[in-house]
Amino acid sequence: MTNELTVLKRDRAVSRDDAIRMLLQQSRRPGRAVPIRRAFVQSAGSGPRIVTEPGPLHQLVRSGERLELLLLVHCVTSGGDWGVTARAETWARAAGISFRTNGTASAAVSRHLAKLRELDLVDTAPDGRMTRIFKLFEDGSGDPYTAPPGKAEGSRRDVYFKVPFAYWEQGFHESLSVPAKVMLLIYMSMRSRSFELRQDKKFASWYGISPSTAGRGIRELQEKELVYPVLSEQRLDGFAILGQSTQMRWALAAPFDLNINKTDREAAESLWTLEGVARTAARFAAILPAPPAAAQAAPDAAGAAGAAP
C-alpha cells in the first residue's frame, strides 16, 4: 500500500489500498496505531493464580479475510458507541473479501460478520440500508467494549498491545500469510524486548494453534526480516551431549517494535547511562579469565632489560 493519492476514475471501483486509506483516515487516531487487548491472543483469568488459555485469535487462523475485517473494525471504531457504519463493498474491498460491485459482496461480508458474531467479537444492527458494526470486548466474552485503562488501573484482562498503521500502509496485510500474521500478533502481545522462537506443542497449545502453523509463521517472519537475533544464552540441557545448549533470543523489527513493556524499556534505557555502562563492564571483568602469570611476567622482564645500562 502506498501513501500516494490515486487518480480516481469515474464509474470504476476504488482499489483495496484506497478503501483502507479511507478507513484509516476515518479512525483519526493520533498515535497511528490501534490498541488490541492481549486477551484476544491469549486469555488470562482474573484470579490469584494466572491460568492462561487461547484467546479468540486461533478461531480466525483459517480465514485471513475475517481477521483483516476484525482488525479494521477495531481500527475505525474509536469512541462513542464503538460502532461504525460503511457500505458492505467498502469492507469487502478493504479486507480482501470481494471486489465485486454487483451486490454479491454484501452477502460475503454478511457471512464473515455472522461468524464474528458467533465468536462474540462484534455485534451488528441495521442502520438504514446498511449495517452498523459494534466491536465487543476482545476476549470473546460478548461483554461491551471499553477502552483499555492501562495496566496501572486495569486488571490482567485489560493489558493491551498496539498494531501500527504501518501494518497496512507498508503492505504487510497482503504480503504476510495468516500463520505469519498470527505469530506477529503473538509476539507483539508479549510486549517483551526479546523472546524465544518456540514452536513446540506446549507453546502452540497456549495459543490454540498447531506447531506447524507456528513453524510456518516463524520461518516467514525470519525470511522477511521482521524478527532478528539479539543475543544467545547458554542453558543446562539434559538432552544435549555436553549437558548444555545455546538458546537464541529474538526481537521484533520496525515497525512492530512498539510494544515493549515498561520494565524491559527502563532496563534497556538504563544500559546506556554511565552507571549502566559501568555495571556492564564490571560484570564482564568478573566473567573474563585473568591473563596467565607468564604473560604478565614477560613484559616486566622486557622492561627490566631495557632499563639496564
Side-chain angles (χ1 to χ4, degrees):
M1 177 179 178
T2 66
N3 290 321
E4 298 179 1
L5 292 176
T6 303
V7 177
L8 301 181
K9 297 183 179 180
R10 190 179 301 233
D11 300 326
R12 180 175 297 182
V14 301
S15 67
R16 183 180 186 183
D17 284 357
D18 287 327
I20 292 175
R21 185 182 298 110
M22 177 180 63
L23 291 173
L24 295 183
Q25 290 173 349
Q26 183 179 340
S27 73
R28 298 180 181 178
R29 293 184 180 275
R32 300 190 60 74
V34 54
I36 304 289
R37 281 180 172 85
R38 187 166 61 193
F40 174 62
V41 176
Q42 185 183 57
S43 298
S46 57
R49 180 182 177 186
I50 298 178
V51 178
T52 58
E53 59 183 16
L57 172 62
H58 78 282
Q59 302 278 6
L60 304 177
V61 171
R62 297 185 181 276
S63 179
E65 295 85 1
R66 197 170 298 149
L67 174 60
E68 288 298 322
L69 177 59
L70 181 64
L71 290 177
L72 286 169
V73 167
H74 269 270
C75 190
V76 177
T77 50
S78 57
D81 61 358
W82 302 107
V84 57
T85 300
R87 287 192 65 91
E89 287 82 2
T90 299
W91 294 117
R93 280 191 287 272
I97 296 171
S98 173
F99 299 92
R100 297 179 180 272
T101 57
N102 59 0
T104 57
S106 178
V109 171
S110 294
R111 287 194 295 271
H112 285 286
L113 287 176
K115 184 60 178 179
L116 292 175
R117 282 198 305 270
E118 290 178 14
L119 296 174
D120 285 327
L121 292 172
V122 302
D123 197 6
T124 59
D127 190 355
R129 294 185 176 182
M130 291 182 279
T131 298
R132 189 162 184 81
I133 307 171
F134 305 91
K135 65 182 176 185
L136 299 178
F137 210 93
E138 297 95 323
D139 63 356
S141 63
D143 292 343
Y145 183 84
T146 57
K151 190 174 181 180
E153 300 91 9
S155 65
R156 288 194 297 266
R157 190 172 178 238
D158 284 314
V159 176
Y160 67 93
F161 62 99
K162 292 183 178 180
V163 178
F165 280 15
Y167 169 78
W168 294 278
E169 293 172 341
Q170 296 184 23
F172 294 109
H173 64 293
E174 290 186 304
S175 63
L176 293 179
S177 67
V178 176
K181 291 177 182 179
V182 168
M183 296 310 299
L184 181 63
L185 290 169
I186 287 174
Y187 293 143
M188 284 194 292
S189 74
M190 290 180 179
R191 302 172 69 244
S192 177
R193 194 170 71 91
S194 65
F195 44 81
E196 299 176 20
L197 298 184
R198 294 181 57 178
Q199 51 186 296
D200 54 275
K201 288 184 178 180
K202 184 176 182 179
F203 174 85
S205 69
W206 292 343
Y207 300 95
I209 60 177
S210 67
S212 61
T213 295
R216 290 197 304 272
I218 288 171
R219 287 190 294 273
E220 185 173 341
L221 293 179
Q222 288 176 310
E223 291 168 0
K224 297 187 186 240
E225 298 182 343
L226 292 179
V227 293
Y228 64 94
V230 288
L231 59 91
S232 60
E233 299 174 333
Q234 294 302 118
R235 295 185 176 181
L236 294 174
D237 187 350
F239 294 95
I241 295 177
L242 299 179
Q244 62 174 328
S245 60
T246 301
Q247 179 63 55
M248 185 66 69
R249 294 189 67 83
W250 298 70
L252 283 169
F256 303 110
D257 56 346
L258 72 167
N259 289 295
I260 300 176
N261 63 55
K262 182 179 179 181
T263 301
D264 278 4
R265 186 171 63 251
E266 291 178 347
E269 291 171 351
S270 69
L271 292 177
W272 299 104
T273 63
L274 291 176
E275 295 81 1
V277 172
R279 285 196 300 269
T280 302
R283 284 198 297 269
F284 275 105
I287 295 173
L288 294 175
Q296 293 178 344
D300 293 341

